[in-house]
Amino acid sequence: MPTVRSSDSRGGGAFCCFADNPFFVLDVPPTASPADVLAAANRWIDALGRGDPAAQTYATPVGPQPRTEMVVRHALTRLRDRDARVQFEVWATAAPAEIPDEFVGPMDGFSGAPRAFGWRGR
Amino acid sequence: MSGALLLVGGLGACVAMAISPLPSSEMVDPESTRAISTRRAELRLAATVAAFAACAIGALFAVGRGALWPLWPLTIGFGIGLLVIHPWILVRWICIPLGMPRLAWWLSSLGGVPWVRDPEGGAVLAGALAALRKRMHDPKAAAFLRRRLRDARLRGAGIVAAALLAADEGDHARARQLMDSLELFDPDLCPPLARRIAQDWRLADDACAGQWSRIADTSDDLPNVSRTARFFTVAARRLTGAEDAGAGSLIRRWLAAPRRLATAPLLRRALRGPVAVGTGVSSLPRLDARFVAVLAANDGGASHIEPISLLAEAAREPEARERAAVRLQRLGASFDQAFEGFELRRRLRERTNELEGGSTGEAATIRLQHDVATKLAQLMRDAEACPTNAGTRPRSTLGRARESLFDQLFDDLCVACAEASERRQPLNVPVPIGEWEACLNVMAHYEELRGLASPGELRQAYTLVELELRQTAAWMWNDLHERGLANAISAWLLTEAERVEDHSAAAYHRHNAALVV
């Protein structure tokens, strides 16, 4: 799965507001009512239980992220905090984006370099 | 005929003995590292000459008596004597290639070239090199070598050995820090071969991480560079397009380097020519011209959404450090505009009222401002960049981010200093490599803060660091007798004292750094 930068993955970094945003996890608009949020969470949990491949990932502005039942339940819990929800709504105004497969950050490394010097490879 | 040859050989031995170096008059302190290592080198040379001379005289005597049979035992005896005087021959060609760390350490403990500047550390380094040749990581051999290193006085080769052992365990960040710390050492404390191994390791580490521009920047004037390193440098220059290195020159370097099969993939890649950094951009789908104006980077979209979109666009930048300062400046200005305007505040107030949360719209705005400052601080830290105007407006978003990052870095520095101080407690058993790593940790945190702090803040940080490292250096010199480490700390403190213009500290450390190690 193409992702942005390893240091900015979910759970930390400056971009976790996008990668972990409950609105992206549940795929609901920031204006969704609590009932809509609950319905969406149940729908995703059902889909994940069925092994639906479309439910395995969710789109975010920093590229697709893996969706699991725990992630969905966590998102639901976070949206119950109304003060936190206001903040998530602000970050959810950014549009999800696709990161192309060919996305490369710095130039690819040469993993055989240690062997070239006679040492065991990594 | 053979008698004449032996005579010439004997004469050559005498000439060698005559031109062997004598203790220099520059050796003011006979206990200095340079004097001791020179004496070690002289002893080995004298022993080699004596062995050769004894063999030649014995052979001459036997030939003079008309008996040729003693020539073989004499030659074998001379060979064995040579291997005892210079065990590196066995270690280099047998123990290391066959992956025998204990035997490599044991033989290298006999001393000799190339570890005359650090015999104890050199023996462990030889063992570490052999350990790296094993197919799998050997924890027992690593523990054995680490114990030997703990007992040894820490110098250049010991540092490289500790770094290689850390790398062997998969701790590459620690290995890198130790390898980089070699630059702080007095050259007299570091065998040239250890320096070359460190240079090779760093280059291999950069190559693994794809840091080709860093490799390409390697100076051509570096002494004692390995042939493989020279090939990597030319290949990196070709890959980055830094220099129009011809294919012929690249192939010549490749042929000159050993292990051509292992380097062949890099040769093929370099022969294809330069690769543009961040080529992923070229594979992005073509953007519809109607939407270009809507992009946040082009001042498109609603004003309160613009900074959010800019942050998302920053996340999609292929190289975080490239143009980081400009990007951060743009982000900061955009968030300032959004927070100073009415739209974002109005929306936050409306949503807070609608949701009937516990806080007010104003509290939500303050929370968001704090959140944004933390995110920009994280971006500054990741990119190691601080926009020039960040410190000029303390109430701006970038100003808050800078303050947040400074507080964070200063706290980290205080923790690192406390850890270094804790290690000096009498109840702790001192382990030189552990003490050195604690010092490197303090230095690394200070250097990270240096790029961000104002002159006054940097002076404040230096006072804290100087107080801590000054005591550590004195403790290492007086109690642990680790003069090399103490000297390296003093030299670093001197450089930083001159940077922050702390003249009294500079004078103190100038005196300490000049002491003979």
Side-chain angles (χ1 to χ4, degrees):
Chain A
M1 181 188 302
T3 185
V4 175
R5 281 194 288 275
S6 59
S7 62
D8 308 323
S9 59
R10 62 166 45 253
F15 307 119
C16 61
C17 55
F18 299 126
D20 290 349
N21 195 303
F23 290 106
F24 294 131
V25 173
L26 300 176
D27 195 17
V28 289
T31 50
S33 68
D36 292 342
V37 168
L38 184 62
N42 287 331
R43 198 172 60 245
W44 287 121
I45 289 168
D46 285 348
L48 286 165
R50 287 198 308 274
D52 184 353
Q56 307 293 322
T57 57
Y58 60 93
T60 76
V62 294
Q65 301 289 330
R67 183 192 277 127
T68 63
E69 193 181 321
M70 190 176 281
V71 169
V72 173
R73 287 188 193 282
H74 186 50
L76 187 62
T77 312
R78 291 169 90 187
L79 283 187
R80 283 192 182 130
D81 178 349
R82 290 167 189 182
D83 294 335
R85 178 183 164 140
V86 175
Q87 308 289 320
F88 289 130
E89 284 180 6
V90 174
W91 299 115
T93 49
E98 286 296 319
I99 307 291
D101 286 344
E102 298 81 2
F103 183 95
V104 284
M107 215 185 295
D108 284 346
F110 176 49
S111 58
R115 286 196 185 282
F117 287 94
W119 305 321
R120 192 171 53 243
R122 292 184 180 179
Chain B
M1 181 64 184
S2 58
L5 279 174
L6 285 168
L7 195 64
V8 171
L11 277 172
C14 293
V15 170
M17 202 178 280
I19 61 168
S20 66
L22 294 170
S24 165
S25 57
E26 289 172 13
M27 301 293 173
V28 180
D29 182 358
E31 293 307 313
S32 69
T33 309
R34 180 174 292 185
I36 291 169
S37 56
T38 306
R39 269 204 304 278
R40 282 195 199 114
E42 283 173 353
L43 267 173
R44 296 283 157 171
L45 182 62
T48 311
V49 171
F52 182 76
C55 179
I57 289 164
L60 277 173
F61 185 75
V63 170
R65 291 290 177 97
L68 291 177
W69 65 267
L71 289 183
W72 279 111
L74 277 170
T75 311
I76 292 167
F78 175 65
I80 293 170
L82 204 63
L83 292 178
V84 171
I85 298 164
H86 300 291
W88 177 243
I89 301 166
L90 279 175
V91 174
R92 167 73 181 83
W93 297 106
I94 295 174
C95 300
I96 293 177
L98 296 181
M100 298 189 286
R102 284 183 181 81
L103 188 61
W105 172 82
W106 186 81
L107 284 173
S108 299
S109 301
L110 299 173
V113 177
W115 311 123
V116 284
R117 294 185 192 181
D118 182 8
E120 296 160 310
V124 182
L125 177 53
L129 286 170
L132 280 176
R133 290 292 184 101
K134 292 186 120 182
R135 282 190 181 174
M136 301 285 288
H137 170 60
D138 183 349
K140 284 184 182 173
F144 168 81
L145 292 171
R146 214 169 288 113
R147 275 198 302 279
R148 301 286 87 79
L149 192 64
R150 204 167 46 197
D151 300 337
R153 182 112 342 132
L154 203 57
R155 287 177 184 165
I159 296 282
V160 179
L164 287 184
L165 289 172
D168 196 24
E169 284 179 338
D171 192 347
H172 295 285
R174 188 168 151 235
R176 181 82 198 200
Q177 191 183 40
L178 283 169
M179 290 289 190
D180 287 344
S181 77
L182 209 64
E183 302 301 326
L184 298 171
F185 270 76
D186 187 312
D188 283 342
L189 296 174
C190 187
L193 182 59
R195 205 171 279 278
R196 189 167 90 172
I197 291 166
Q199 202 172 306
D200 283 354
W201 188 90
R202 281 189 290 190
L203 197 142
D205 188 47
D206 286 341
C208 283
Q211 299 285 338
W212 297 108
S213 50
R214 200 191 283 178
I215 299 173
D217 289 342
T218 310
S219 169
D220 288 328
D221 301 331
L222 281 177
N224 207 16
V225 178
S226 70
R227 286 169 293 160
T228 310
R230 286 197 192 283
F231 164 67
F232 268 71
T233 308
V234 175
R237 285 176 187 165
R238 202 175 151 88
L239 279 171
T240 53
E243 182 188 283
D244 192 18
S249 155
L250 184 71
I251 292 169
R252 271 198 304 279
R253 293 280 189 203
W254 176 70
L255 285 172
R259 300 179 201 87
R260 289 176 207 94
L261 269 180
T263 49
L266 179 60
L267 174 74
R268 279 197 296 274
R269 207 164 126 186
L271 281 175
R272 285 201 293 269
V275 181
V277 176
T279 47
V281 174
S282 62
S283 63
L284 282 169
R286 193 173 288 278
L287 194 68
D288 191 322
R290 289 171 299 169
F291 302 126
V292 171
V294 187
L295 283 176
N298 297 333
D299 294 328
S303 63
H304 71 285
I305 296 177
E306 185 194 270
I308 314 289
S309 304
L310 275 177
L311 187 67
E313 284 170 25
R316 295 194 290 269
E317 279 288 324
E319 178 53 70
R321 294 181 186 192
E322 209 175 316
R323 301 182 301 275
V326 179
R327 199 181 309 124
L328 280 162
Q329 213 160 328
R330 180 89 189 268
L331 267 169
S334 181
F335 273 111
D336 282 345
Q337 202 178 352
F339 284 125
E340 285 162 10
F342 292 107
E343 185 64 17
L344 183 63
R345 288 173 183 273
R346 184 182 62 77
R347 279 172 180 265
L348 282 170
R349 192 173 59 246
E350 280 176 8
R351 286 303 290 157
T352 313
N353 292 341
E354 278 170 26
L355 291 169
E356 296 173 349
S359 64
T360 61
E362 196 55 37
T365 309
I366 292 168
R367 185 174 168 179
L368 187 63
Q369 279 177 324
H370 176 77
D371 200 16
V372 166
T374 311
K375 286 184 193 312
L376 294 195
Q378 184 66 46
L379 283 181
M380 279 186 196
R381 192 170 195 176
D382 287 350
E384 292 175 14
C386 179
T388 45
N389 65 344
T392 53
R393 288 180 59 207
R395 302 315 305 159
S396 68
T397 306
L398 269 186
R400 285 172 205 268
R402 200 201 71 87
E403 272 176 23
S404 166
L405 183 55
F406 179 79
D407 290 346
Q408 197 182 331
L409 293 177
F410 199 82
D411 287 348
D412 290 350
L413 183 65
C414 291
V415 171
C417 286
E419 282 171 0
S421 173
E422 185 66 26
R423 298 190 72 93
R424 289 200 311 273
Q425 297 306 311
L427 286 175
N428 291 332
V429 178
V431 180
I433 189 70
E435 317 310 337
W436 179 238
E437 283 185 79
C439 292
L440 289 180
N441 199 24
V442 173
M443 292 174 190
H445 278 102
Y446 175 83
E447 282 168 6
E448 195 178 1
L449 194 140
R450 197 173 62 199
L452 179 80
S454 66
E457 289 167 339
L458 190 61
R459 183 78 184 254
Q460 184 191 352
Y462 179 76
T463 307
L464 175 77
V465 168
E466 201 266 343
L467 185 69
E468 180 51 48
L469 292 188
R470 176 200 286 239
Q471 292 177 64
T472 305
W475 176 62
M476 283 181 169
W477 184 282
N478 296 323
D479 298 351
L480 304 188
H481 305 291
E482 288 286 356
R483 293 182 167 203
L485 299 185
N487 178 265
I489 294 171
S490 294
W492 184 86
L493 284 172
L494 169 62
T495 310
E496 294 306 320
E498 285 173 345
R499 200 189 298 269
V500 298
E501 296 177 359
D502 186 339
H503 301 299
S504 63
Y508 177 79
H509 295 298
R510 195 172 291 115
H511 170 264
N512 281 354
L515 289 176
V516 175
V517 290

